[in-house]
Amino acid sequence: MAGAAAAAAASASRVHYLSDLCCPLGGRAGPKPHVLRHQAEVFLSTGREFVYVYDREGGVLTAVYQFPHQVWHLQLLAARRALYVLCARTGIYCLSLDSRDRAEIQASCEDREDEAHPPPVIHVDPDACVLPDAALCAFTVLDDMLVTLVQGPTQWKMQLFERPCPGEAPRPGGQIGEVELSTCTPPGGVPGKPAAPCFLPVLCCTFPPDSRAPHGHPQGCGCLTLEEALFGLLFGADATLMQSPVILCGLPDGQLCCVVLKALVTCGLAPGDPKVLVKILHHLEEPVVFIGAVRAEPHAEEEQREPLPEENVHSDCLVALGHQGRTLAIKAGWSESGTLVPELREYCLPGPVLCAACGRDGRMYHSTPSNLCVVDLTRRDTPWSPEKADGAIGGLPSMLCPASLNICSVLTLTVSSGASTGGTELLALSSKGRLITCSLDLNSEVPVPPKMTMANAGQKIKELLLDIGDASERVSFLKKAVDQRNKAITSLNEAMNVSCALLSSQEGVRPISCTITTSWSRLELRDMLMATCTLENSSSFSLDQGWTLCIQVLTSSSALDLDGAGSTFTYTIPVDRLGPGSRREVTLPLGPSESGMLDLPVTMSCWLFYSLREVVGGALAPSDSLEVPYLETLPLNLPKQEGVCLPLCKRTVDMLQCLRFPGVSSQQPARAPCVPGPACEPVETFLKTCQTPGSEPAGAASLRAKYLPPSTASIRVSAVLLRTALEGGHSGSHLCSATLQWLLAENAAVTVVRAQKLSSIQGTAPDGTDVNLTVREVSVTDLSPAGPIQAVEIQVESSSLANMCRAHHAIIRRMQTMVTEQAAQGSSPPDLRMQYLHQIHANHQYKVFVGEGPG
């Protein structure tokens, strides 16, 4: 496997902390940290406005330069002792390092070691800007030239300048070449202050092997030397014959292009033709973050000795790395016909990539937020990389296997050879602002694993697949349990919100309401009194699993059995997905029974019930502990309560709501609907069928109706009290008609009473007997010493004593509610003869007087 030696080196790595900068670092967007090493000095930028100089021999920071804006890039021209720094939206600054004498630096280091003082902060003067340009995004510097990349409104532009020296004023005529590259996305931000780009372009200068390449460039300064074969294949014969450096450019859109530098010089101040000067090598389809080169096939003499630090190594493999880990490697190789051709191969490495660097041993190091990895681009004899049978120039490895160095969050690094150990040393800057070194022993012998037989490989694969299946099944069951608990938690949160909304709105409009209405309907050849409960959700919450609408029907005791208790029925209706703005209707039969009896009044209560055991218990308890035994170890805290009850409404259905008026209608019916009466004997039924038309019915009911007078009860109410209570909803109507409308407000016949302004009406009870209601104005003369009192008399008459009592009870209930409401508004009874009222009560009269209140 490619990278086996790197894996062994990872275990032998040694990490040392050099310095803690104690400052926030720039991230991957826009400002990018940099680290350069030259001899004993290390130059660092953290992505902010500071550049630090660290002395390896003294082990301290010697100086801190503060620039006017964020530092985007820096490059050291070692031969000229000049440091070039690109500041965001400002330009390129140039600092001379010759003014800082080595003896003075050493003396200042000793003083600070004694006094433990921080290094001095040197503010860089704006006059040190040698190339001001707000659109500059990248640059690279040579011995006598400066190459920049400018972001225009629509295109990238490469410009070539004479190299400015420290202390020189900007020269307007210093530009000697220019060419436009591919299109670019305009920078965002407000006008006049564009936002920092997410990714900066990468510039790199490549030299042919026989050219006068600059010496003494520190690692990471963007200067590469390629072998002649690869150089010619990539850049053409003209660049090889002219011995011209070539500028490689990696753009944020993924393009990797090149420009021959001497061809750019010949174009002068006139912009060159991009079709002639610019060559696109590849497209990574993601931002290019690194361009480097390695020696994938070292020569025999190079394998026997370690190259000197200042020696330029001729690389035979060009590498470009994308932000998400896509890697391009280009190397010269032989085709089947024996011609020299470029070999391109793409790899996928872990991403996102924070930084990368190439070593002299064919290895590339790249950092991600979680790890620092090393990959080997050389072809080594491993059981996973078959050898070429023709013995030709070895190609690139078929795959790259990153080996972890167990270091995380490295933002920038540089690679150098260890002088004392002969290994490799990484100089890196971590995300916490620490400068660290990592020493790797890459020259140790790596044991090659023995080749695996086909039978052993099959058995190993089978065992791995079984383990994967078991793990997948366990993950599936655990995921199901987690999903159930998450669903239960969501349901509990909704239930809490619903409970708080209902309990906090006892008065006024409720977010979740239930209304009860009654009507007569034909059901199974019988007329039935039906109650319709309408549950309406006006809140922003949903009623889902666990919610149940409970309706309790409580009937009163029979009139013939006063000591008996009424019957109770409870209906439970699951509420399934009642979302905001939805409603649900439930219709229940109230009676009469098969005997024709309906015990009134009937009290109906509605409430919502939330089942904790259904929601929480199902999520906590495993469905099958034998199938999923490891779920038994989970803590089960089942709720002790069954659930939560939230009352919604309560309604009493009395005789006045159940009366039917077949003889009073806007359209007079041909005949009254059939109402089931009490069950009759077969003989009585036979006699009824034998009666001729016009003959009188026989039986106990007809006898009572014919020979016994009807039962009558009357209630007298103060006319002033009624007029005060009814003036809002029944204004303009006669007092008697308004009173009758008020009594029958919850009956379907109220519209007919209101339209015809009736003051008396004849209805039919549920058992078929007649019930008459008459309202008239009377004058009461014997109750008040002040004189007659105007009153309204409500008379109830029925041949059935039980039905008369039920109607009387319904009227009294309405009167009590009205008197209570009026008393709450400040009404008081008049001056009455209380002794006379006690006498009436003692004589068991059915006339009751309700005191009049002030108007």
Side-chain angles (χ1 to χ4, degrees):
M1 180 184 295
S11 61
S13 61
R14 296 292 182 268
V15 178
H16 302 279
Y17 291 96
L18 300 182
S19 178
D20 193 349
L21 302 182
C22 298
C23 65
L25 302 184
R28 298 189 301 273
K32 178 182 178 182
H34 289 81
V35 58
L36 302 176
R37 177 179 178 180
H38 179 62
Q39 296 178 354
E41 288 183 321
V42 179
F43 301 88
L44 305 102
S45 68
T46 63
R48 303 302 179 189
E49 64 271 19
F50 297 98
V51 173
Y52 301 85
V53 182
Y54 180 79
D55 184 37
R56 289 291 303 271
E57 294 180 356
V60 292
L61 289 173
T62 59
V64 178
Y65 294 97
Q66 183 176 5
F67 288 84
H69 297 280
Q70 290 178 335
V71 175
W72 280 3
H73 185 62
L74 58 88
Q75 188 169 339
L76 178 65
L77 192 59
R80 309 291 183 182
R81 293 289 295 169
L83 181 66
Y84 290 84
V85 179
L86 172 61
C87 288
R89 306 302 178 192
T90 305
I92 298 177
Y93 291 76
C94 183
L95 300 180
S96 177
L97 303 179
D98 289 333
S99 58
R100 303 176 65 251
D101 184 75
R102 186 70 189 170
E104 296 178 359
I105 294 175
Q106 185 67 26
S108 63
C109 291
E110 294 176 358
D111 294 341
R112 282 199 308 278
E113 285 179 357
D114 297 337
E115 301 175 6
H117 287 168
V121 177
I122 304 172
H123 295 272
V124 178
D125 193 271
D127 295 337
C129 184
V130 296
L131 186 59
D133 191 346
L136 276 176
C137 292
F139 77 94
T140 184
V141 63
L142 308 179
D143 284 338
D144 54 354
M145 287 180 291
L146 176 67
V147 184
T148 64
L149 196 63
V150 178
Q151 185 178 19
T154 58
Q155 285 187 319
W156 293 100
K157 186 185 297 183
M158 182 179 291
Q159 296 176 341
L160 182 63
F161 297 87
E162 295 180 359
R163 183 183 63 82
C165 296
E168 290 185 355
R171 292 178 294 174
Q175 182 175 339
I176 57 178
E178 177 180 310
V179 67
E180 291 183 347
L181 304 182
S182 64
T183 59
C184 65
T185 303
V190 297
K193 190 178 180 181
C198 293
F199 296 96
L200 294 174
V202 180
L203 286 182
C204 181
C205 187
T206 306
F207 295 90
D210 297 333
S211 66
R212 188 177 59 85
H215 293 278
H217 273 266
Q219 290 288 329
C221 274
C223 292
L224 309 175
T225 302
L226 298 182
E227 277 196 342
E228 184 176 358
L230 180 60
F231 190 90
L233 289 174
L234 290 177
F235 311 125
D238 293 340
T240 304
L241 293 176
M242 290 188 297
Q243 293 292 299
S244 170
V246 177
I247 302 299
L248 289 172
C249 180
L251 299 178
D253 62 355
Q255 291 192 43
L256 179 64
C257 56
C258 64
V259 177
V260 179
L261 197 59
K262 290 186 177 181
L264 184 61
V265 173
T266 57
C267 72
L269 293 178
D273 185 5
K275 296 182 180 179
V276 178
L277 299 178
V278 181
K279 179 181 180 181
I280 298 178
L281 300 178
H282 196 72
H283 204 300
L284 282 179
E285 299 181 355
E286 61 184 59
V288 180
V289 296
F290 173 74
I291 300 174
V294 296
R295 182 74 190 179
E297 294 184 7
H299 297 296
E301 59 273 10
E302 292 180 359
E303 292 182 345
Q304 297 176 0
R305 67 176 180 87
E306 181 70 21
L308 299 175
E310 301 295 333
E311 180 182 355
N312 286 328
V313 177
H314 297 173
S315 303
D316 61 354
C317 180
L318 183 67
V319 181
L321 194 58
H323 172 63
Q324 295 298 333
R326 180 172 292 184
T327 304
L328 171 69
I330 307 177
K331 188 177 180 296
W334 297 100
S335 65
E336 295 181 357
S337 59
T339 59
L340 201 60
V341 294
E343 179 186 359
L344 283 80
R345 191 179 290 272
E346 280 194 0
Y347 306 97
C348 289
L349 298 179
V353 177
L354 301 182
C355 62
C358 290
R360 297 186 178 186
D361 49 7
R363 294 176 173 88
M364 182 180 67
Y365 305 84
H366 75 283
S367 174
T368 66
S370 60
N371 215 340
L372 176 62
C373 303
V374 55
V375 293
D376 193 352
L377 288 166
T378 61
R379 292 291 296 261
R380 288 180 167 83
D381 297 335
T382 67
W384 305 101
S385 55
E387 302 176 9
K388 277 196 171 183
D390 53 4
I393 295 178
L396 295 167
S398 58
M399 62 181 299
L400 296 180
C401 299
S404 173
L405 298 180
N406 299 323
I407 304 174
C408 63
S409 299
V410 171
L411 298 183
T412 182
L413 77 156
T414 183
V415 184
S416 61
S417 299
S420 59
T421 61
T424 300
E425 183 182 64
L426 304 181
L427 187 64
L429 187 66
S430 69
S431 60
K432 296 182 179 180
R434 293 177 177 176
L435 181 63
I436 60 175
T437 61
C438 179
S439 301
L440 305 177
D441 184 12
L442 300 177
N443 297 323
S444 59
E445 293 294 331
V446 182
V448 178
K451 293 185 177 181
M452 186 176 293
T453 63
M454 186 66 67
N456 293 339
Q459 181 64 26
K460 186 66 175 178
I461 292 174
K462 184 177 180 180
E463 294 175 357
L464 291 176
L465 290 177
L466 290 177
D467 294 340
I468 292 173
D470 294 340
S472 176
E473 184 179 3
R474 179 183 177 87
V475 169
S476 176
F477 281 118
L478 290 177
K479 184 178 183 300
K480 182 179 179 182
V482 170
D483 291 342
Q484 288 180 348
R485 296 193 176 191
N486 290 338
K487 186 177 179 181
I489 292 174
T490 304
S491 179
L492 286 174
N493 184 49
E494 289 283 341
M496 180 65 69
N497 293 331
V498 170
S499 302
C500 293
L502 284 177
L503 296 178
S504 61
S505 59
Q506 297 291 340
E507 302 286 339
V509 181
R510 311 190 72 183
I512 299 177
S513 60
C514 185
T515 57
I516 302 174
T517 58
T518 56
S519 62
W520 286 91
S521 178
R522 194 75 173 174
L523 183 64
E524 295 181 356
L525 302 179
R526 293 192 303 126
D527 287 344
M528 297 291 292
L529 180 63
M530 310 297 290
T532 302
C533 302
T534 304
L535 179 64
E536 185 172 3
N537 184 9
S538 303
S539 67
S540 58
F541 311 110
S542 297
L543 302 181
D544 293 323
Q545 179 190 6
W547 287 102
T548 303
L549 176 62
C550 300
I551 304 173
Q552 185 184 69
V553 179
L554 175 62
T555 61
S556 61
S557 59
S558 175
L560 299 180
D561 186 12
L562 298 179
D563 296 333
S567 57
T568 303
F569 302 94
T570 302
Y571 303 89
T572 57
I573 300 95
V575 179
D576 186 18
R577 296 180 181 178
L578 187 66
S582 303
R583 62 173 58 190
R584 189 73 45 82
E585 289 188 355
V586 179
T587 302
L588 304 174
L590 297 181
S593 61
E594 294 182 357
S595 61
M597 298 300 296
L598 177 60
D599 295 329
L600 296 173
V602 175
T603 302
M604 298 184 64
S605 302
C606 298
W607 68 87
L608 281 175
F609 178 76
Y610 183 75
S611 176
L612 292 174
R613 287 191 172 271
E614 178 182 351
V615 176
V616 181
L620 295 181
S623 56
D624 190 353
S625 58
L626 296 178
E627 184 180 359
V628 196
Y630 46 82
L631 288 181
E632 293 181 353
T633 60
L634 298 178
L636 300 180
N637 297 320
L638 297 178
K640 298 180 180 179
Q641 295 181 347
E642 292 288 340
V644 178
C645 290
L646 300 173
L648 293 177
C649 67
K650 187 175 183 180
R651 171 83 180 272
T652 299
V653 180
D654 52 26
M655 178 60 74
L656 295 182
Q657 300 174 30
C658 301
L659 288 178
R660 288 181 294 170
F661 305 93
V664 180
S665 175
S666 58
Q667 295 181 356
Q668 199 70 273
R671 56 178 295 182
C674 297
V675 180
C680 301
E681 296 294 333
V683 176
E684 185 177 357
T685 304
F686 174 75
L687 293 176
K688 286 183 179 180
T689 58
C690 296
Q691 290 177 354
T692 59
S695 62
E696 296 183 0
S702 61
L703 292 177
R704 285 195 303 269
K706 183 176 181 179
Y707 297 105
L708 295 178
S711 302
T712 305
S714 63
I715 305 99
R716 292 182 180 180
V717 188
S718 169
V720 177
L721 177 64
L722 275 177
R723 191 174 289 109
T724 302
L726 304 179
E727 64 179 358
H730 303 276
S731 59
S733 301
H734 190 270
L735 183 57
C736 295
S737 178
T739 303
L740 188 59
Q741 295 175 33
W742 171 64
L743 293 175
L744 300 177
E746 296 174 328
N747 196 297
V750 69
T751 55
V752 179
V753 176
R754 183 180 300 109
Q756 300 182 9
K757 297 183 179 180
L758 301 177
S759 61
S760 64
I761 194 169
Q762 180 178 354
T764 303
D767 59 357
T769 58
D770 293 337
V771 176
N772 300 328
L773 295 176
T774 304
V775 182
R776 61 191 176 196
E777 294 189 38
V778 297
S779 179
V780 181
T781 59
D782 51 358
L783 288 182
S784 175
I789 298 176
Q790 295 298 319
V792 174
E793 184 181 61
I794 305 171
Q795 183 176 343
V796 182
E797 181 180 327
S798 177
S799 59
S800 171
L801 179 60
N803 289 335
M804 187 273 297
C805 293
R806 294 188 181 106
H808 182 268
H809 178 270
I811 296 174
I812 292 298
R813 188 173 64 87
R814 285 164 174 76
M815 292 297 175
Q816 290 175 343
T817 303
M818 181 185 66
V819 170
T820 303
E821 294 175 353
Q822 292 300 314
Q825 299 178 5
S827 299
S828 60
D831 186 13
L832 301 178
R833 298 171 58 186
M834 302 304 297
Q835 185 65 29
Y836 184 73
L837 288 176
H838 289 308
Q839 184 64 33
I840 293 176
H841 178 70
N843 295 333
H844 299 282
Q845 299 286 338
Y846 285 101
K847 297 180 180 180
V848 178
F849 180 78
V850 179
E852 110 183 76

